Amino acid sequence: MENKPSRRAVLGAGAGLLATGALAAMASPASAAASSSQGQPAGGPNVIPADRIGLQIFTVRQLIGSDYTNLEIALEAVYDAGVRELELAGDYYAKTTAELKALVQSYGLRIVSNHFGPRSASAPNPWMTYDGRMQIFEDAQTLGRFPYLGTGSSFGFPGAGATTSDDMKAMAEKFNECGEHAVSQGFGGFFFHNHDREFTLENGVPVYNTLLEYTDPRYVKFEVDLGWVSVAGEDPYWWIKEHGERFIAFHIKDIKWDPNGNRTAAAGTRAGGRKFRFADVGKGDIDWTRALSALKDLRDYRFFLEHDDAGNLTLNPPGSTNTVWRGCSTLGGINTSGRR
């Protein structure tokens, strides 16, 4: 019987099982990933380090499958596309945190973040109790000793789902509590990931400003989804330029304004009611070089690719694997020199 190499044995030698011919033909943007002897990622201040190209794993959820059958196939495919860092979406795929970390590492990847907390308004929010937060801290230590701990939505927090400055103040108070607790346990603090509704206008000003104003920068940072910022009709460059010191990471998600799009911008935002669809990064309407040129040094941040509809073959016929490859290629080609 012929001995065939395992998937892990051939990592880097070719594309993943579900990758397209184009994926197999192109060199991985992360193939030259390296860090400097001082510990700062290589790449320079104007180039995203190859080992900082990450993925919000929610993007490939359909590939993984509801029963997680294809989890290992997905891990191999995203590595071959150029991803080196993963952000989880609150799911451990029926594994212990130690088991999941070991599996991910066996495919050349590392878990560096997670959206802790509920995925729906009806689920309990562990951030709201002392014991719940302590479990989050324990999970984070095992998964990857994360520098910051955060959540992917406002579900379960005071003011959740509402869009006034008073709602943001109530939410900020709880974020401060969570962040202070995280810092006391040796973490850098708490982070919040936005959607478009947090940019609802009140007296002409996005209420996201209130969230920034009433959170303590010693304890609370922000993971900014630049796709949702754009959906709200805001300028990603401006928000980074004005508040970049509060931001630690970005979701890199592209959009295409389309009168027949399947999605609608949140009411009350600058673009409220406007139709759009998600697109592969580099194929939408966001000028990524301009947006990221607001950062003084790209090596100081993390960049997580995301596409909410990547696995829907009606909306995205090439599939999520191609989406990840396209995103890695785009991020790997960005150079912000001369754009400030």
Side-chain angles (χ1 to χ4, degrees), residues 181-204:
H181 195 179
V183 169
S184 76
Q185 298 297 309
F187 297 95
F190 173 89
F191 73 78
F192 174 68
H193 164 277
N194 64 279
H195 291 80
D196 55 342
R197 61 181 173 271
E198 287 86 21
F199 292 87
T200 298
L201 301 176
E202 186 174 275
N203 299 320

Side-chain angles (χ1 to χ4, degrees), residues 257-338:
W257 294 110
D258 182 348
N260 298 312
N262 64 308
R263 302 231 178 199
T264 307
T269 62
R270 296 189 199 281
R274 192 175 179 187
K275 292 284 189 178
F276 71 97
R277 56 185 170 83
F278 291 119
D280 290 349
V281 173
K283 291 190 173 182
D285 292 331
I286 299 175
D287 182 340
W288 290 105
T289 300
R290 176 182 178 272
L292 298 182
S293 70
L295 298 172
K296 292 181 179 179
D297 193 332
L298 275 66
R299 295 172 295 182
D300 294 337
Y301 301 85
R302 286 197 151 93
F303 304 87
F304 299 108
L305 295 163
E306 188 179 32
H307 184 324
D308 292 40
D309 297 325
N312 185 320
L313 296 182
T314 299
L315 298 171
N316 185 39
S320 60
T321 305
N322 185 75
T323 288
V324 177
W325 169 80
R326 178 71 263 167
C328 288
S329 178
T330 298
L331 290 187
I334 288 175
N335 189 318
T336 61
S337 299

Side-chain angles (χ1 to χ4, degrees), residues 123-138:
N125 185 350
W127 286 108
M128 297 299 292
T129 66
Y130 177 90
D131 289 342
R133 290 196 292 268
M134 290 304 293
Q135 184 62 59
I136 288 171
F137 302 153
E138 180 180 333

Side-chain angles (χ1 to χ4, degrees), residues 171-183:
M171 202 178 301
E173 182 177 357
K174 181 57 68 171
F175 288 175
N176 287 333
E177 179 184 316
C178 294
E180 187 171 5
H181 195 179
V183 169

